[in-house]
Amino acid sequence: MARTIGVIGDRWTLLILRECFLRTRRFEGFQSALGITRHLLAERLKKLVRQGVLRRIPYQESPKRHEYILTQKGLDLYPIMMALVHWGDTHMVDERGRPLLHEHRKCGKMFDPVMVCSECGEPLSAREVHVHPGPGARPAPERVLLDKKAKPKPRKKAA
Amino acid sequence: MARTIGVIGDRWTLLILRECFLRTRRFEGFQSALGITRHLLAERLKKLVRQGVLRRIPYQESPKRHEYILTQKGLDLYPIMMALVHWGDTHMVDERGRPLLHEHRKCGKMFDPVMVCSECGEPLSAREVHVHPGPGARPAPERVLLDKKAKPKPRKKAA
DNA sequence: TTTGACAGTTCAATTTTAGAACTGTATGAA
DNA sequence: TTCATACAGTTCTAAAATTGAACTGTCAAA
């Protein structure tokens, strides 16, 4: 998660990517849609290209111009986008309602995204998931502070 | 999406929330697990409580101490977390492999999260989804530039 | 009496971001 | 030919956010 956040974890990158999913491709398009400063936009686009999320493709030669297109790696961010949108739709809408509705082409209905288990297909919730260290586990996820005398912790009074 | 990003869209908030899901509850716990500066941590926790993502609950009286617990609104962030982790697992792992594996209690298997359509249950991908303006739609999502003379931009001279 | 856990707060020094103008190529209009 | 505009950046300064480190304060145990 930390590595993902290293890619998309700032105020603007996700909004830029949202515009990509909404088919914006060019510098001015992003800038005017978002109101981001040109400086930061250039910075972020460069970073996303470096990280392989966007591809920079020339679309005219005279004054060299490029479009920014999602790579597969970028397209794979879609579930993150949908999860963010859905949480906002659930917890952050005002009285006017949702800004956007989503229609699923396959079934033709307006839908919400649901996250399910790849094995049994049941919807997921935090309580039903148990985490195990994997092969790339960190050495010390958390430094234990009450180390040596781990016991003396009868500090509680209220419960 | 912008509103969701307003809540969790910075470098540290998502990591703090990750620790919450991993059952960290106290100031020192977050601080030592993440290495975040105490100043920012205090700031972020306050913000999350204000926004209703965490609840601040006293666990001892003597020197007043509190724990930070996920509210339902916070728990609902779980799909976002899983989506972030899964993208990282897919595109950002090193040769050592995943740091964490997830087991679904319901079915007992190690799983990956999959995002599906709430109506037909099929997995979602960006191309199969069409967006429509909803009741809370923004007036002008994007100003068209190559229009006519959209605006006589008052180009000022340098000093 | 002293030390240490815990949960912050304060403050100077960096780093980022915002805001605005400026650079440069090319096209169409006057 | 000259001027205005589209487009994609770059450059600069001021303002905001973040870091790093030390400091405050309450209580418990040594």
Side-chain angles (χ1 to χ4, degrees):
Chain A
M1 209 178 105
R3 293 174 215 182
T4 305
I5 290 174
V7 177
I8 59 164
D10 70 289
R11 196 77 82 247
W12 287 112
T13 299
L14 279 166
L15 291 171
I16 292 170
L17 259 3
R18 174 189 71 181
E19 295 306 312
C20 289
F21 278 100
L22 294 174
R23 319 226 192 293
T24 298
R25 292 154 146 68
R26 302 183 184 177
F27 194 92
E28 295 294 325
F30 293 112
Q31 206 283 318
S32 61
L34 300 174
I36 183 176
T37 64
R38 311 175 72 75
H39 180 31
L40 250 207
L41 175 57
E43 201 80 14
R44 288 294 180 269
L45 288 173
K46 243 179 242 166
K47 187 179 165 195
L48 287 169
V49 169
R50 262 204 321 276
Q51 289 165 327
V53 172
L54 296 180
R55 205 191 319 281
R56 191 160 171 270
I57 298 177
Y59 71 90
Q60 80 176 29
E61 265 309 312
S62 32
K64 277 213 169 192
R65 291 289 184 264
H66 302 81
E67 296 189 312
Y68 296 88
I69 310 283
L70 286 164
T71 60
Q72 186 57 50
K73 187 172 175 181
L75 286 167
D76 286 349
L77 289 167
Y78 194 65
I80 296 176
M81 302 282 145
M82 287 305 275
L84 290 165
V85 170
H86 185 237
W87 190 84
D89 283 347
T90 306
H91 294 286
M92 307 293 285
V93 282
D94 54 34
E95 62 292 336
R96 306 191 330 112
R98 306 183 173 191
L100 238 51
L101 300 175
H102 296 89
E103 179 190 341
H104 191 209
R105 286 278 170 77
K106 284 260 194 75
C107 67
K109 302 218 185 83
M110 297 297 177
F111 72 99
D112 282 325
V114 177
M115 186 155 278
V116 302
C117 168
S118 59
E119 304 308 305
C120 69
E122 287 295 305
L124 291 171
S125 77
R127 286 159 247 70
E128 301 160 358
V129 173
H130 192 231
V131 297
H132 300 270
R138 278 289 118 68
E142 175 162 346
R143 196 154 50 89
V144 180
L145 285 189
L146 284 174
D147 205 14
K148 285 192 163 185
K149 314 187 173 186
K151 259 173 221 170
K153 204 180 169 190
R155 202 62 104 41
K156 296 184 189 171
K157 267 190 172 178
Chain B
M1 208 177 107
R3 293 173 215 181
T4 304
I5 290 175
V7 177
I8 59 164
D10 69 288
R11 196 78 81 248
W12 286 113
T13 299
L14 279 166
L15 291 172
I16 292 169
L17 259 3
R18 175 190 70 182
E19 296 306 312
C20 290
F21 278 101
L22 294 174
R23 318 223 192 295
T24 298
R25 291 153 147 66
R26 302 182 184 178
F27 194 92
E28 295 293 325
F30 293 113
Q31 206 282 318
S32 60
L34 299 174
I36 182 177
T37 64
R38 310 176 72 75
H39 179 32
L40 249 208
L41 175 57
E43 201 78 15
R44 289 293 180 268
L45 288 173
K46 242 180 245 167
K47 187 179 165 195
L48 287 169
V49 169
R50 262 206 321 278
Q51 289 166 327
V53 172
L54 297 180
R55 206 191 317 281
R56 190 160 171 269
I57 297 178
Y59 70 90
Q60 81 178 26
E61 267 308 312
S62 31
K64 278 214 167 191
R65 292 288 183 263
H66 303 81
E67 296 189 310
Y68 296 88
I69 310 283
L70 287 164
T71 60
Q72 186 58 50
K73 187 172 175 181
L75 286 166
D76 286 349
L77 290 166
Y78 194 65
I80 297 176
M81 301 283 145
M82 288 304 276
L84 290 166
V85 169
H86 185 237
W87 190 84
D89 284 346
T90 305
H91 293 287
M92 307 294 285
V93 283
D94 53 34
E95 63 292 334
R96 306 190 332 113
R98 303 182 175 192
L100 237 51
L101 301 175
H102 296 89
E103 179 191 341
H104 191 209
R105 285 278 169 77
K106 284 261 195 72
C107 69
K109 302 218 185 84
M110 297 298 177
F111 73 98
D112 281 326
V114 178
M115 187 155 277
V116 302
C117 169
S118 59
E119 304 307 304
C120 70
E122 287 294 304
L124 291 171
S125 76
R127 285 158 247 71
E128 301 160 359
V129 173
H130 192 230
V131 296
H132 300 268
R138 280 288 119 68
E142 176 163 345
R143 195 154 51 89
V144 180
L145 283 191
L146 273 178
D147 207 11
K148 290 187 174 176
K149 306 187 175 185
K151 258 167 203 169
K153 254 202 263 174
R155 281 295 215 77
K156 287 193 188 172
K157 286 278 182 169

